[in-house]
Amino acid sequence: MNSTPPIKLFALGGLGEIGKNMYGLQYEDEMILVDCGIKFPDEELRGIDYVIPDFTFLEKHKDLIKGVFITHGHEDHIGSIPFLLKRLNAPIYAGKLSIGFIKDKLQEHRLLGASILKTVDENSFVEFKHFSIRFMRTSHSIPDSLAICINTPYGNIVHTGDFKFDLTPGGASYDIGKIAEIGNEGVFCLMSDSTNSEIPGFSLSESAVKETLFDIVEQIDGRIIFATFASNIYRLQQAIEASIAFNRKVAVFGRSMERSIRIGRELGYIRASEDTFISGHEINRYPSSKITILCTGSQGEPMAALGRIAKGLHRQIQVIPGDTVIFSSSPIPGNIKQVYKLIDQLERIGADVIHNKMSDIHTSGHGTQDEQKLMIRLLKPKYFVPIHGEYRMLVNHVKLAVDCGVEPENTFVLDNGDILELDEDGGQVSGSFPANPVYVDGTGIGDIGNIVLRDRRLLSLCGTVVVTITIDSKNAKLLSGPALVSRGFVFMKESGELLSEAERLVEKEINSMLEDGVTKWSDLKKKISDLLTSYFFEETKRNPMILPVIMEV
């Protein structure tokens, strides 16, 4: 019987989803966290800016938290840090570029002075009472990507972060020697990136994308509008290098893109002379063949730079004959429809569009099956917990782990909020805590719930009908109305008969209720809603939202 207390593993986000990555380990009176990301909303989350983890569980255990360790600087790994630090204070450990992005975020939220930021690299070592942490350099689509090795009383627990094994990467290569060395020490548990667990083979190298990009840029005579993730620093550097090679000036559009270029240049990851870049109002001073535009919007975001260009709403850029738009990205799950809608809009207004279905203009920063197997073979874990992926991806990753020698009973597919306890004798889910998504809408954090989202969905699908009446509650009389106003339900000028009959029904029902002495607003509103919901569905097979407005004199 093992007398040593078990170690606990859990996730606040990143399991059963793409995004919102945040994981934790606890042993007795110490807890460390890995990553703190956001998730971008899908089309069902109307009006939501982004989704963050629920930090309530962490607030209850804030005295145990020793630090937050960041694997790399993508939004789905660092985007929630300002929201976390508004709730509790903990040191943030991250690579140089990640720290640059985090500082920028904290400054925007006026939190920079109150935060403890510590820069680490693959040679750093951080030690606490029960945990000691080392770092391994990995390949991803952004510099300073790190896997994290956490030494515990049970041995090493490795969190891979986002990774691929790219033999010819765009920047620093992975440290396969250190990964293998830690594998030889023994790995108690591996928590590994599952994003591409359904895709066989090895992923395409960044060097292949660079070759393709240079070939494409050489052949284009007009302007190039290059859209990718703002944080894909290696891809941005490739686009800039290709532009320099063919004597093009580079203009940058989109707030996050401008930020990435600025921080990348300050830290030496974006390498180009000052005269490579021009401002937006200088574009028309140069021939079309000498211009590259770097912009945001590769995921079809309607308010990003590329979305506004496609709609003709951008103040400085309009598509002109000969423009070529390059999408150097692949759609995030949930964004596919809006990406292809954007491509259609660009084609309609005369742009040529090149995307990853047409050429090797993009590669994933996440390893595919053979790379995931290689990581498992190098580290040889006793226990395996797939992370960073939708449920089917986690399940498929477990199958790969079993193929690579991990015992099936030592693999665990978890949900956000599950608490996995591990010791030498085995593992089990011992409990859970609420880990529901928290919605950020403008300045509101967590004040948008399922009811509000349901109402937004109803409004977008069937519109609304506002019903206004004025009553004399003292004498129980209807003084004026009902007056109906439709928005997004029917066109009022062409639906007079429908709305007039609705008004007649409401008037009859309200008079009947007032005669019976019913003057309570809630009763009157409920009756109006029920009556019109039934009537409109019978007549139109649609369910608009009914909003009764009662004025009392």
Side-chain angles (χ1 to χ4, degrees):
M1 188 77 176
N2 189 5
S3 60
T4 307
I7 192 163
K8 298 176 181 178
L9 279 66
F10 56 87
L12 291 92
L15 301 182
E17 61 186 351
I18 299 292
K20 196 160 61 70
N21 293 285
M22 191 171 195
Y23 310 93
L25 286 81
Q26 181 184 349
Y27 184 80
E28 293 193 325
D29 59 348
E30 285 188 335
M31 179 186 293
I32 63 169
L33 304 172
V34 179
D35 289 335
C36 185
I38 62 171
K39 180 180 178 181
F40 293 103
D42 59 27
E43 58 189 13
E44 292 296 310
L45 298 177
R46 291 167 174 83
I48 299 301
D49 296 324
Y50 28 81
V51 186
I52 65 175
D54 183 347
F55 300 126
T56 305
F57 175 77
L58 299 181
E59 281 189 285
K60 292 177 180 177
H61 298 86
K62 61 183 179 182
D63 293 337
L64 306 184
I65 299 172
K66 310 308 291 184
V68 184
F69 292 83
I70 302 300
T71 59
H72 64 284
H74 281 156
E75 286 295 312
D76 58 329
H77 294 260
I78 67 169
S80 288
I81 288 176
F83 303 102
L84 175 70
L85 294 182
K86 288 175 183 178
R87 306 279 290 273
L88 56 89
N89 201 8
I92 308 292
Y93 297 83
K96 184 170 69 170
L97 181 62
S98 301
I99 290 288
F101 285 153
I102 292 166
K103 279 183 177 179
D104 203 67
K105 286 183 174 298
L106 296 180
Q107 194 162 12
E108 186 178 325
H109 287 260
R110 300 180 181 178
L111 292 169
L112 187 55
S115 306
I116 302 170
L117 304 179
K118 300 190 177 185
T119 303
V120 296
D121 59 24
E122 63 269 25
N123 298 313
S124 299
F125 181 79
V126 182
E127 190 168 19
F128 304 110
K129 182 170 68 175
H130 300 303
F131 298 119
S132 59
I133 292 93
R134 291 173 288 171
F135 306 88
M136 298 167 281
R137 190 174 64 247
T138 56
S139 292
H140 190 41
S141 55
I142 187 171
D144 294 337
S145 294
L146 299 167
I148 297 173
C149 178
I150 305 152
N151 187 260
T152 75
Y154 286 99
N156 294 323
I157 294 179
V158 174
H159 185 298
T160 65
D162 295 2
F163 77 93
K164 65 188 292 184
F165 286 104
D166 191 340
L167 299 176
T168 51
S173 183
Y174 53 88
D175 191 344
I176 196 168
K178 191 169 185 179
I179 295 170
E181 179 185 320
I182 287 173
N184 289 334
E185 290 176 12
V187 172
F188 182 65
C189 180
L190 172 61
M191 304 168 70
S192 188
D193 172 13
S194 305
T195 309
N196 283 336
S197 65
E198 299 171 296
I199 302 174
F202 275 82
S203 59
L204 185 70
S205 172
E206 276 292 336
S207 64
V209 175
K210 183 175 181 178
E211 290 176 17
T212 301
L213 180 57
F214 270 66
D215 290 342
I216 289 172
V217 173
E218 184 178 19
Q219 295 168 25
I220 294 174
D221 293 326
R223 298 189 307 183
I224 294 172
I225 301 174
F226 187 87
T228 189
F229 293 107
S231 56
N232 193 337
I233 298 293
Y234 289 141
R235 197 69 47 76
L236 294 176
Q237 177 65 30
Q238 290 172 355
I240 291 167
E241 288 177 3
S243 298
I244 293 170
F246 299 103
N247 300 313
R248 289 176 175 267
K249 296 293 184 182
V250 177
V252 182
F253 290 92
R255 185 180 172 197
S256 58
M257 185 71 75
E258 291 168 357
R259 182 197 68 165
S260 291
I261 294 292
R262 173 176 55 81
I263 294 173
R265 291 183 69 196
E266 288 173 359
L267 298 178
Y269 296 108
I270 297 290
R271 298 175 299 279
S273 61
E274 186 67 38
D275 63 0
T276 300
F277 299 93
I278 59 173
S279 62
H281 67 266
E282 294 179 284
I283 288 175
N284 294 331
R285 299 179 188 175
Y286 295 86
S288 296
S289 60
K290 300 301 179 185
I291 294 293
T292 296
I293 295 167
L294 302 182
C295 69
T296 55
S298 64
Q299 293 301 303
E301 307 97 308
M303 296 309 295
L306 188 57
R308 287 183 284 123
I309 292 168
K311 293 174 183 173
L313 300 176
H314 200 281
R315 289 180 299 172
Q316 293 177 293
I317 309 171
Q318 289 77 40
V319 168
I320 60 176
D323 280 356
T324 299
V325 180
I326 299 174
F327 282 78
S328 187
S329 61
S330 57
I332 293 172
N335 290 353
I336 294 172
K337 286 184 181 178
Q338 62 193 45
V339 169
Y340 285 111
K341 180 180 178 182
L342 177 58
I343 290 172
D344 284 349
Q345 288 175 326
L346 291 164
E347 297 263 8
R348 281 181 183 277
I349 60 176
D352 293 323
V353 179
I354 299 172
H355 54 82
N356 70 314
K357 297 290 185 185
M358 302 167 62
S359 66
D360 292 336
I361 198 63
H362 176 67
T363 182
S364 175
H366 303 267
T368 49
Q369 287 182 352
D370 285 351
E371 290 155 280
Q372 291 170 343
K373 290 177 182 177
L374 178 56
M375 183 65 82
I376 296 166
R377 288 291 190 188
L378 287 169
L379 292 173
K380 305 181 285 288
K382 176 176 181 176
Y383 297 110
F384 181 78
V385 178
I387 59 171
H388 198 300
E390 295 173 351
Y391 189 80
R392 68 185 186 281
M393 301 171 185
L394 306 180
V395 170
N396 219 56
H397 204 175
V398 162
K399 294 176 183 176
L400 300 180
V402 172
D403 289 345
C404 291
V406 179
E407 296 296 332
E409 62 271 19
N410 288 348
T411 64
F412 302 91
V413 177
L414 305 176
D415 288 319
N416 294 330
D418 285 349
I419 298 174
L420 174 67
E421 292 191 351
L422 294 175
D423 59 23
E424 290 293 354
D425 300 323
Q428 63 177 348
V429 176
S430 61
S432 64
F433 58 86
N436 298 315
V438 173
Y439 302 120
V440 178
D441 184 358
T443 58
I445 302 169
D447 57 348
I448 303 297
N450 290 329
I451 294 175
V452 174
L453 291 172
R454 182 204 65 191
D455 288 347
R456 290 181 179 182
R457 187 162 54 250
L458 285 174
L459 285 167
S460 70
L461 292 172
C462 300
T464 184
V465 175
V466 180
V467 187
T468 305
I469 63 172
T470 303
I471 62 171
D472 179 349
S473 57
K474 185 176 180 180
N475 297 309
K477 287 184 179 181
L478 178 65
L479 296 180
S480 68
L484 270 65
V485 177
S486 166
R487 290 292 182 268
F489 169 51
V490 292
F491 186 44
M492 293 185 66
K493 288 184 179 180
E494 296 178 359
S495 306
E497 189 175 330
L498 175 75
L499 298 177
S500 294
E501 178 62 16
E503 288 175 349
R504 190 190 66 79
L505 290 172
V506 172
E507 182 178 5
K508 180 181 176 182
E509 191 62 40
I510 293 300
N511 280 326
S512 175
M513 293 179 74
L514 292 174
E515 287 173 7
D516 293 338
V518 179
T519 58
K520 194 174 179 182
W521 283 23
S522 57
D523 295 337
L524 295 171
K525 285 184 174 183
K526 185 177 187 306
K527 190 63 180 180
I528 293 171
S529 294
D530 292 347
L531 177 67
L532 291 184
T533 296
S534 176
Y535 170 68
F536 285 137
F537 185 77
E538 185 178 328
E539 294 295 323
T540 68
K541 297 298 183 283
R542 282 179 274 169
N543 283 312
M545 179 178 286
I546 310 299
L547 296 176
V549 177
I550 300 175
M551 294 183 287
E552 187 177 10
V553 295

Coordinates of all heavy atoms in Angstrom, one line a residue, residues 28 74 80 96 280 436 505:
E28 N 0.0 17.8 -2.4 CA -0.1 18.4 -1.0 C -0.4 19.9 -1.1 O -1.4 20.3 -1.6 CB 1.1 18.0 -0.2 CG 1.2 16.5 0.1 CD 2.2 16.1 1.2 OE1 3.2 16.8 1.3 OE2 1.9 15.2 1.9
H74 N 0.9 31.8 -28.1 CA -0.3 31.9 -28.9 C -1.5 32.2 -27.9 O -1.5 31.9 -26.7 CB -0.6 30.6 -29.6 CG 0.2 30.4 -30.8 ND1 0.4 29.2 -31.4 CD2 0.7 31.3 -31.7 CE1 1.1 29.3 -32.5 NE2 1.3 30.6 -32.7
S80 N -5.8 34.5 -21.6 CA -6.6 34.7 -20.4 C -5.8 35.2 -19.2 O -6.3 35.4 -18.1 CB -7.3 33.4 -19.9 OG -8.4 33.1 -20.8
K96 N 11.0 34.3 -23.9 CA 11.2 35.7 -24.2 C 10.1 36.3 -25.0 O 9.6 37.4 -24.7 CB 12.6 35.9 -24.8 CG 12.9 37.4 -25.1 CD 14.4 37.5 -25.5 CE 14.6 37.0 -26.9 NZ 15.9 37.4 -27.4
G280 N 0.3 52.7 -44.2 CA -0.8 52.5 -45.1 C -1.0 53.6 -46.1 O -1.3 53.3 -47.3
N436 N -17.0 25.4 -16.3 CA -17.8 25.9 -17.4 C -17.2 27.0 -18.0 O -16.4 27.8 -17.4 CB -19.2 26.3 -16.9 CG -20.0 25.1 -16.3 OD1 -20.0 24.0 -16.9 ND2 -20.6 25.3 -15.1
L505 N -56.5 40.4 -31.3 CA -56.5 39.3 -30.3 C -56.0 39.8 -29.0 O -56.5 39.4 -27.9 CB -55.6 38.1 -30.9 CG -56.2 37.3 -32.1 CD1 -55.1 36.4 -32.6 CD2 -57.5 36.6 -31.7

